[in-house]
Amino acid sequence: MSNLNKSILPPATIGIIGGGQLGQMMALSAKSMGYKVGILDPTPNAPAGQVSDFQIVAEYSDETALQQLAEQSDVLTYEFENVDQHNLAKVENITSVPQKIDELVITSNRLREKSFLSSNDIPVTPYARVTNEKELYDAVENIGRPGILKTTEGGYDGHGQIDINDDSLLSVVSKSLGKAEWIYEKKQSFVKEVSMIVTRDFHNHVLTFPLSENIHRDHILHTSIIPARVDNTIHQKASAIATKIASSLELYGVLGIEFFVLNNDELLVNELAPRPHNSGHYSIEACNVSQFEAHIRSICGLEIPSIQLLNSSVMVNMLGDELTTGRNSLPNHPEWHFHDYGKAEIRPKRKMGHITVVGDSVEKLLKSVENFR
């Protein structure tokens, strides 16, 4: 039942694996269209559960709980890529699972992802597989330094990443690799980091969102500027690459693609995310269709209109106690579109919410959120 024979229309039920902020914004978009929404998440009253019709409180690996969600849903999706692929395949005969398991297999593992991109002639940084001390030294010798050693699975927001800049750290790291699989990547001297959201409907039409310019803090996305302040040819190159990736994956839902812009205006693909992406949050207020509505439309077999950027935009994440700063400053900023995810505990560097501002002048928009920059 992974392919739709007909559109899934409201008030059908959409099941979402994962109850964080991405699931919350998916649910809000689906609810506004008249769908019912169910969530699977181990945290009671998770952000997505707060705005949905029901939540099953269980671990993501709980096969019985996933089957229960599938039985109560007309279509199943997810908000993160580290889904139990084996369990998900088991429920394909119960409900519609439009996003292919292969998509998860590729994007949940950095080595498979890089191999997929390379095999499709999409430019990536030089890389090598590392499972032991010898392979690490060989990788560094062949690829050079500086480089980044990353776990192949499970890392996000800078977790599971080690910068390799000199021999002293290399020696320490090489002795603590353990039995995990790693990937060593050449660190690029890039001009900017940019990203693009792409989607594809059941008529095989690929649509891309505007290119976002991203500024990170401690490996965590902090500010996005839309449209990206780069030459128009880079916007066109990113759209062409995104279209090629979406077609190769036979994508349903949305996909976030992170790029490096090099000194010669060439693009390298850094990472793929088979779901709505943090850098696409601006689309809720700045586009005619948000990335979340596009995701819902795609997995439910609905056509998606051409994506239009209605205004320039700046989005900032509120990390940790910046949420408190944002709440206290809200009365003085009527121009803010304020998103509080409703997480129970404020922790350092945790994504607690975001603010989007829209208008004609990027400079004025940046000034509006300067206390968070």
Side-chain angles (χ1 to χ4, degrees):
M1 296 181 65
S2 59
N3 293 317
L4 289 178
N5 295 318
K6 61 180 181 179
S7 298
I8 296 173
L9 301 175
T13 298
I14 299 172
I16 302 174
I17 304 168
Q21 63 267 21
L22 298 178
Q24 183 187 73
M25 286 179 273
M26 266 192 227
L28 288 168
S29 183
K31 292 293 292 178
S32 73
M33 297 173 69
Y35 290 98
K36 292 182 172 58
V37 179
I39 303 297
L40 172 62
D41 194 279
T43 304
N45 199 35
Q50 296 168 22
V51 300
S52 298
D53 295 276
F54 66 90
Q55 178 183 341
I56 298 171
V57 179
E59 296 297 328
Y60 302 125
S61 58
D62 189 322
E63 186 176 341
T64 301
L66 180 59
Q67 182 172 335
Q68 182 185 347
L69 179 65
E71 289 170 346
Q72 295 183 61
S73 303
D74 297 285
V75 61
L76 206 59
T77 187
Y78 43 80
E79 68 147 14
F80 60 94
E81 50 267 48
N82 295 311
V83 175
D84 190 311
Q85 299 155 15
H86 179 71
N87 286 347
L88 188 61
K90 286 185 176 181
V91 300
E92 284 187 304
N93 64 339
I94 298 175
T95 189
S96 176
V97 186
Q99 295 155 279
K100 292 190 171 185
I101 303 296
D102 285 351
E103 186 180 323
L104 278 176
V105 171
I106 291 168
T107 59
S108 64
N109 181 287
R110 288 188 171 102
L111 271 169
R112 288 195 291 264
E113 184 174 279
K114 287 285 193 296
S115 177
F116 162 79
L117 292 167
S118 298
S119 67
N120 282 279
D121 297 321
I122 293 166
V124 297
T125 192
Y127 68 94
R129 179 175 183 261
V130 171
T131 60
N132 56 49
E133 186 174 358
K134 181 182 184 303
E135 288 179 351
L136 176 59
Y137 275 93
D138 287 346
V140 172
E141 181 178 352
N142 293 330
I143 293 173
R145 288 192 303 265
I148 306 175
L149 185 66
K150 302 178 180 179
T151 55
T152 56
E153 296 184 358
Y156 67 96
D157 288 346
H159 297 287
Q161 299 187 21
I162 304 169
D163 290 336
I164 304 292
N165 298 314
D166 55 53
D167 287 338
S168 59
L169 183 57
L170 178 60
S171 176
V172 173
V173 170
S174 66
K175 292 177 171 56
S176 56
L177 289 173
K179 296 182 178 179
E181 182 183 56
W182 300 76
I183 181 172
Y184 180 76
E185 299 178 1
K186 180 177 178 61
K187 187 182 287 188
Q188 293 291 332
S189 177
F190 54 83
V191 177
K192 290 182 187 290
E193 293 181 79
V194 297
S195 62
M196 180 170 280
I197 306 299
V198 62
T199 188
R200 177 176 171 268
D201 67 18
F202 275 82
H203 299 293
N204 301 328
H205 298 145
V206 177
L207 301 99
T208 58
F209 282 77
L211 192 66
S212 170
E213 175 184 341
N214 301 323
I215 300 168
H216 291 76
R217 181 189 297 172
D218 297 327
H219 298 288
I220 304 171
L221 177 64
H222 196 268
T223 304
S224 290
I225 301 165
I226 304 92
R229 297 170 295 181
V230 294
D231 189 84
N232 190 53
T233 58
I234 295 176
H235 291 258
Q236 294 171 354
K237 287 178 185 177
S239 183
I241 291 172
T243 299
K244 187 175 184 179
I245 292 172
S247 298
S248 298
L249 284 175
E250 297 183 355
L251 175 72
Y252 293 118
V254 300
L255 178 81
I257 306 174
E258 298 177 4
F259 300 90
F260 294 139
V261 182
L262 304 184
N263 288 321
N264 60 359
D265 283 351
E266 290 302 308
L267 288 173
L268 296 182
V269 173
N270 180 34
E271 288 187 354
L272 306 179
R275 43 146 175 94
H277 192 267
N278 192 172
S279 66
H281 292 351
Y282 73 89
S283 61
I284 298 173
E285 288 86 18
C287 293
N288 61 319
V289 176
S290 75
Q291 64 167 339
F292 301 101
E293 181 180 345
H295 184 85
I296 297 301
R297 284 180 170 273
S298 179
I299 65 170
C300 290
L302 302 176
E303 288 193 47
I304 305 167
S306 296
I307 309 300
Q308 300 174 23
L309 182 65
L310 305 177
N311 290 286
S312 296
S313 180
V314 169
M315 185 280 302
V316 293
N317 280 324
M318 291 181 285
L319 305 176
D321 204 48
E322 288 179 339
L323 176 64
T324 303
T325 301
R327 287 170 173 169
N328 292 336
S329 302
L330 187 56
N332 301 319
H333 288 277
E335 76 279 14
W336 285 359
H337 296 277
F338 192 82
H339 297 258
D340 184 334
Y341 303 147
K343 295 184 178 180
E345 181 185 359
I346 294 177
R347 297 200 297 264
K349 299 184 181 182
R350 189 183 195 191
K351 294 174 182 174
M352 302 301 301
H354 74 269
I355 294 168
T356 301
V357 285
V358 296
D360 297 327
S361 168
V362 167
E363 288 70 26
K364 289 182 180 178
L365 299 179
L366 288 168
K367 185 171 179 59
S368 173
V369 293
E370 63 183 355
N371 288 341
F372 297 96
R373 296 171 57 214

